[in-house]
């Protein structure tokens, strides 16, 4: 099949040409969910729930004073919740290792249909990881999600943060001190028509992705680069290091001077040349009382 | 994986509260549905706690799982009964109404949303998405279990879904919208194999025909028709090109492509028209 296949339908407009280039972004929300997954979930939930319950009853045997029990109950529930979450993380990792032994995750273009092995296993991986990550993100300590991402195979550091963003959990690499804005969607996989595209996303050191933007699979963000808010990067796009990209699709906007300045300030701090400002503030009180204030000053 | 915090995703109802007394319906539902959990736990406690403590401990996690699911089903049941009762007084219908307390349709839309809120909230606070689908079906949205509608904000009435649909992260599918002083309800229809991109907004009355794609960060207008087998892009969405990605054997063509961004910008230029604000002199 070549790019020059003629259009079979009698269409008049010339923008209806057959065009296989992916120059738009869709989504990677998984397209099939079956009730079969309960077979994996139920044992994981049961065993990790049992861990929390067993710890609770085992410790409460030694405490006979009910006042102490009541006093520490909220703290206890907090700890038990995290025991539960870590239990789920450990058991789902065990499942994940088994799944990856059967079929190794790989990049490429696959069919998003029942029967395609890569698609089925991709779905399975997501669903296994989802339970633990969902609980971590909805817990009173959302920061442990970073640990969750590391645990499930994203190369990420605690110096970068993305608590308000949506991110895939395969084939993503983070540098140091990456900031990802609120509501940003970072995708390493994308469903286009009948096909599932999986490609690695790489964030360089000190990169910033603005709010409500979409990072498509295959995007490479160089060190010190910035993508603005409401920006879509394209499939396989290369964001040059030290540049700001803005728009739909992301275009070169201007060099990222802010990154340089930031480091200069750390090295050369000129305290002597600081300028002091004197500003007179008007006090917001009634006119009658203002006179009183002035009178007091004169007396002093 | 983690859903944006600014967007409570999943099937959801809007928070517009036309009259404050509607909250009473909401509190009533929560109260009644909690009785089930209480009863189940009491039964389990009296059965096993004193006689077989080890069994009590071992099966407790499973009981909590069952308790949660029964809470969801009971709250769904109560909401459905209330909805049937409310719909007897005023049947939900499409149309353009006034956004005012005196307008009956607007009031009842808000009341319906308040009733649906508790079951949708409870079913969505569960990490597994099966309950959302049941919730949808119960409230009269035509959908299939094969759809994934859990990463976006989806309205719970006047929506029809086909098979095998992907709805993107943080996208919004509406069937009711408030525009100034008007309030519009129109049925949104999404047919088979439609893919909706991340961060896109679908306005009420939009009709997606089969195999159409709405790209990310784009938005449809009220009552827009998206033709079969086309990709739409832009705000408002315009026809971009034919959707050829349902053909066979494209793996190699897709995998090795790189594109010229400058040229792409020119392509996009027509779709994302830039408007310059005229200076308006206020006298």
């Amino acid at each position: 099949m070549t790019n020059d296949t003629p259009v079979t339908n009698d269409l008049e407009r010339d923008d209806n040409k057959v065009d296989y280039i992916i120059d738009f972004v869709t989504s990677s929300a998984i397209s099939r969910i079956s009730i079969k997954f309960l077979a994996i979930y139920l044992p994981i939930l049961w065993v990790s729930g049992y861990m929390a319950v067993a710890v609770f009853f085992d410790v409460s045997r030694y405490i006979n004073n009910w006042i102490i029990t009541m006093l520490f109950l909220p703290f206890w529930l907090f700890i038990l919740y995290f025991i539960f979450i870590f239990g789920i993380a450990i058991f789902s990792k065990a499942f994940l290792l088994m799944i990856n032994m059967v079929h190794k995750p790989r990049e490429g273009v696959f069919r998003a249909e029942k029967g395609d092995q890569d698609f089925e296993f991709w779905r399975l991986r997501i669903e296994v990881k989802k339970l633990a990550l969902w609980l971590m993100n909805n817990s009173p300590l959302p920061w442990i999600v970073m640990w969750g991402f590391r645990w499930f195979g994203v190369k990420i550091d605690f110096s970068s943060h993305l608590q308000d963003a949506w991110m895939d959990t395969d084939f993503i690499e983070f540098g140091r001190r990456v900031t990802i804005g609120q509501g940003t969607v970072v995708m390493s996989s994308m469903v286009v028509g009948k096909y599932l595209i999986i490609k690695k996303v790489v964030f360089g050191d000190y990169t910033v992705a603005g709010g409500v933007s979409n990072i498509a699979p295959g995007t490479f963000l160089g060190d010190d680069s910035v993508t603005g808010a409401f920006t879509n990067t394209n499939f396989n796009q290369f964001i040059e290091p030290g540049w700001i990209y803005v728009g739909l699709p992301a275009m070169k906007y201007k060099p990222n001077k802010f990154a340089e300045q930031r480091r200069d300030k750390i090295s050369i701090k000129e305290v002597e040349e600081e300028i002091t400002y004197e500003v007179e503030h008007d006090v917001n009180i009634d006119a009658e009382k203002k006179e009183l204030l002035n009178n007091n000053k004169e007396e002093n | 994986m983690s859903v944006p915090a600014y967007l409570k995703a999943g099937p959801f109802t809007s928070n517009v509260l036309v009259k404050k007394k509607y909250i009473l319906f909401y509190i009533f539902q929560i109260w009644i549905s909690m009785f089930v959990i209480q009863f189940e736990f009491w039964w389990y406690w009296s059965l096993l706690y004193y006689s077989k403590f080890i069994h009590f401990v071992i099966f407790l996690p499973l009981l909590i799982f069952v308790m949660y699911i029964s809470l969801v089903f009971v709250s769904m049941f109560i909401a459905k009964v209330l909805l049937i009762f409310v719909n007897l007084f005023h049947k939900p219908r499409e149309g353009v109404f006034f956004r005012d307390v005196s307008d009956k349709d607007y009031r009842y839309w808000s009341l319906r949303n308040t009733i649906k809120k508790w079951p949708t909230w409870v079913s969505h606070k569960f990490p597994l998405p099966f309950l959302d689908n049941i919730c949808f079906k119960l409230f009269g949205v035509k959908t299939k279990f094969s759809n994934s509608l859990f990463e976006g904000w989806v309205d719970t009435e006047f929506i029809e879904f086909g098979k095998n649909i992907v709805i993107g992260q943080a996208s919004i599918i509406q069937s009711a919208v408030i525009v100034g002083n008007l309030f519009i309800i129109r049925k949104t229809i999404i047919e088979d194999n439609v893919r909706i991109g991340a961060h896109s907004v679908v306005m009420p009355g939009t009709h997606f025909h089969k195999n159409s794609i709405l790209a990310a960060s784009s938005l449809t207008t009220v009552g827009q028709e998206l033709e079969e087998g086309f990709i739409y892009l832009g705000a408002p969405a315009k026809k971009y090109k034919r959707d050829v990605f349902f053909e066979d054997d494209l793996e190699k063509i897709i995998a090795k492509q790189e594109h010229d961004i400058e040229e792409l910008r020119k392509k996009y230029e027509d779709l994302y028209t830039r408007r310059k604000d005229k200076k308006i002199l206020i006298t």
Side-chain angles (χ1 to χ4, degrees):
Chain A
M1 187 160 291
T2 55
N3 289 13
D4 304 311
T5 42
V7 189
T8 46
N9 298 26
D10 44 346
L11 291 156
E12 289 159 22
R13 292 186 194 176
D14 62 330
D15 57 39
N16 296 338
K17 283 185 297 187
V18 174
D19 184 355
Y20 293 109
I21 299 168
I22 295 183
D23 41 12
F24 55 93
V25 184
T26 60
S27 76
S28 77
I30 80 160
S31 64
R32 276 208 185 89
I33 289 143
S34 57
I35 218 141
K36 275 182 273 176
F37 286 127
L38 267 183
I40 298 174
Y41 284 143
L42 262 182
I44 292 178
L45 278 173
W46 192 359
V47 176
S48 45
Y50 176 70
M51 268 167 68
V53 170
V55 168
F56 177 75
F57 279 109
D58 196 47
V59 174
S60 63
R61 265 194 306 176
Y62 300 106
I63 303 167
N64 295 321
N65 194 340
W66 68 271
I67 294 172
I68 290 171
T69 315
M70 282 296 133
L71 204 63
F72 284 99
L73 193 64
F75 185 62
W76 244 126
L77 293 175
F78 195 74
I79 287 174
L80 289 175
Y81 187 65
F82 284 103
I83 290 173
F84 177 60
I85 287 177
F86 285 119
I88 285 177
I90 288 160
F91 290 114
S92 33
K93 176 86 177 190
F95 264 106
L96 202 69
L97 287 175
M98 279 198 285
I99 290 163
N100 287 351
M101 253 153 55
V102 176
H103 183 92
K104 223 185 163 198
R106 62 190 175 115
E107 298 172 55
V109 182
F110 314 105
R111 283 183 157 223
E113 275 173 348
K114 244 182 193 172
D116 189 284
Q117 236 191 358
D118 283 283
F119 175 65
E120 297 261 336
F121 275 92
W122 170 73
R123 233 173 76 204
L124 198 62
R125 284 201 301 274
I126 284 179
E127 284 300 295
V128 168
K129 288 169 185 174
K130 186 168 183 147
L131 192 62
L133 288 173
W134 191 93
L135 282 166
M136 283 176 191
N137 206 40
N138 282 282
S139 73
L141 265 176
W143 299 278
I144 58 165
V145 146
M146 309 303 288
W147 177 80
F149 279 128
R150 275 169 78 103
W151 182 247
F152 287 124
V154 176
K155 271 190 188 170
I156 194 168
D157 208 306
F158 276 91
S159 59
S160 41
H161 64 100
L162 54 107
Q163 271 82 24
D164 281 346
W166 193 102
M167 195 172 84
D168 263 322
T169 48
D170 276 340
F171 298 113
I172 291 179
E173 257 186 52
F174 275 73
R176 278 192 52 71
R177 301 213 176 187
V178 178
T179 306
I180 292 185
Q182 295 96 326
T184 300
V185 175
V186 180
M187 297 181 278
S188 67
S189 54
M190 186 160 89
V191 178
V192 178
K194 215 161 65 172
Y195 295 94
L196 166 73
I197 301 164
I198 301 179
K199 194 118 200 242
K200 197 170 202 168
V201 176
V202 181
F203 287 90
D205 298 350
Y206 307 104
T207 49
V208 178
V212 209
S213 54
N214 299 318
I215 309 290
T219 309
F220 183 95
L221 286 99
D223 297 355
D224 278 325
S225 64
V226 173
T227 59
F230 268 116
T231 300
N232 285 359
T233 66
N234 248 303
F235 177 51
N236 275 350
Q237 193 169 356
F238 178 75
I239 306 278
E240 279 184 34
W243 278 78
I244 298 175
Y245 278 63
V246 167
L248 304 146
M251 293 266 297
K252 230 179 202 181
Y253 183 54
K254 58 182 181 185
N256 189 6
K257 285 275 161 69
F258 309 104
E260 296 165 19
Q261 281 173 7
R262 185 193 61 204
R263 280 178 203 158
D264 291 346
K265 272 196 177 169
I266 295 166
S267 52
I268 317 159
K269 200 175 184 185
E270 293 174 354
V271 185
E272 290 169 12
E273 285 183 19
E274 267 184 24
I275 309 158
T276 53
Y277 291 97
E278 278 182 30
V279 184
E280 261 184 43
H281 289 285
D282 210 18
V283 184
N284 188 18
I285 47 174
D286 297 339
E288 298 168 13
K289 287 175 185 171
K290 239 178 196 174
E291 285 172 16
L292 279 172
L293 207 98
N294 290 336
N295 287 342
N296 285 343
K297 269 190 183 171
E298 281 168 20
E299 279 170 23
N300 290 335
Chain B
M1 225 2 54
S2 51
V3 172
Y6 78 99
L7 194 110
K8 299 275 183 287
F12 226 67
T13 58
S14 102
N15 281 324
V16 177
L17 198 67
V18 178
K19 282 186 172 176
K20 273 171 200 154
K21 66 181 176 190
Y22 292 162
I23 277 193
L24 288 177
F25 280 91
Y26 187 61
I27 292 166
F28 169 77
Q29 282 179 64
I30 295 172
W31 186 21
I32 295 293
S33 53
M34 288 290 185
F35 272 126
V36 191
I37 312 184
Q38 215 176 327
F39 173 73
E40 275 175 0
F41 192 73
W42 169 79
W43 171 76
Y44 185 69
W45 180 280
S46 58
L47 192 72
L48 289 176
Y49 187 76
Y50 296 106
S51 53
K52 289 168 182 168
F53 184 72
I54 296 294
H55 292 202
F56 176 82
V57 172
I58 287 172
F59 291 106
L60 193 58
L62 270 192
L63 179 83
I64 291 166
F65 186 78
V66 170
M67 264 157 67
Y68 195 93
I69 285 178
S70 57
L71 171 71
V72 173
F73 277 102
V74 166
S75 51
M76 273 183 203
F77 175 73
I78 293 163
K80 186 69 189 174
V81 170
L82 277 176
L83 268 182
I84 289 168
F85 191 66
V86 165
N87 288 352
L88 279 180
F89 285 97
H90 185 84
K91 228 187 158 196
R93 64 193 171 109
E94 296 173 55
V96 180
F97 312 106
F98 276 109
R99 183 202 168 196
D100 194 72
V101 188
S102 61
D103 193 290
K104 211 175 176 184
D105 281 281
Y106 180 54
R107 253 181 338 197
Y108 273 82
W109 168 75
S110 169
L111 179 59
R112 286 201 299 277
N113 277 346
T114 326
I115 290 170
K116 283 174 195 166
K117 175 136 264 161
W118 169 243
T120 45
W121 188 87
V122 171
S123 61
H124 198 74
K125 278 285 165 283
F126 198 60
L128 317 178
F130 315 115
L131 296 171
D132 288 333
N133 258 326
I134 296 165
C135 203
F136 260 133
K137 285 190 174 183
L138 197 79
F139 294 141
V141 174
K142 272 189 189 172
T143 177
K144 297 266 164 37
F145 271 94
S146 63
N147 296 338
S148 88
L149 322 162
F150 318 107
E151 310 283 3
W153 193 104
V154 183
D155 235 325
T156 48
E157 56 181 15
F158 292 114
I159 292 186
E160 243 184 70
F161 289 109
K163 282 189 296 187
N164 193 14
I165 289 164
V166 179
I167 285 182
Q169 300 92 332
S171 60
I172 301 166
I173 318 288
Q174 297 164 310
S175 67
V177 74
I178 291 166
V179 182
N181 223 357
L182 294 177
F183 168 65
I184 303 165
I185 298 182
R186 280 184 75 176
K187 191 166 197 170
T188 306
I189 301 169
I190 299 175
E191 288 183 15
D192 301 354
N193 299 331
V194 171
R195 278 88 171 90
I196 294 174
H199 289 132
S200 52
V201 179
V202 175
M203 290 288 267
T206 311
H207 188 158
F208 286 82
H209 288 270
K210 273 182 192 173
N211 298 1
S212 56
I213 293 179
L214 181 66
S217 303
S218 41
L219 120 96
T220 67
T221 51
V222 176
Q224 193 174 1
E225 296 254 340
L226 274 70
E227 275 181 41
E228 184 178 333
F230 273 95
I231 295 165
Y232 281 72
L233 195 148
K238 287 170 196 160
K239 216 183 231 181
Y240 185 49
K241 62 184 186 184
R242 282 183 64 83
D243 181 7
V244 285
F245 300 101
F246 282 95
E247 288 173 13
D248 291 337
D249 306 324
L250 293 180
E251 281 96 338
K252 278 180 186 170
I253 297 169
I254 292 170
K256 59 175 180 186
Q257 56 181 247
E258 288 190 4
H259 30 245
D260 188 11
I261 298 292
E262 294 284 338
E263 215 165 78
L264 193 59
R265 177 73 232 177
K266 279 176 199 160
K267 260 195 201 173
Y268 273 43
E269 201 72 37
D270 302 338
L271 299 162
Y272 290 94
T273 43
R274 288 184 182 175
R275 289 177 192 157
K276 282 178 187 168
D277 288 342
K278 285 175 190 170
K279 273 188 183 173
I280 300 163
L281 289 169
I282 300 161
T283 50

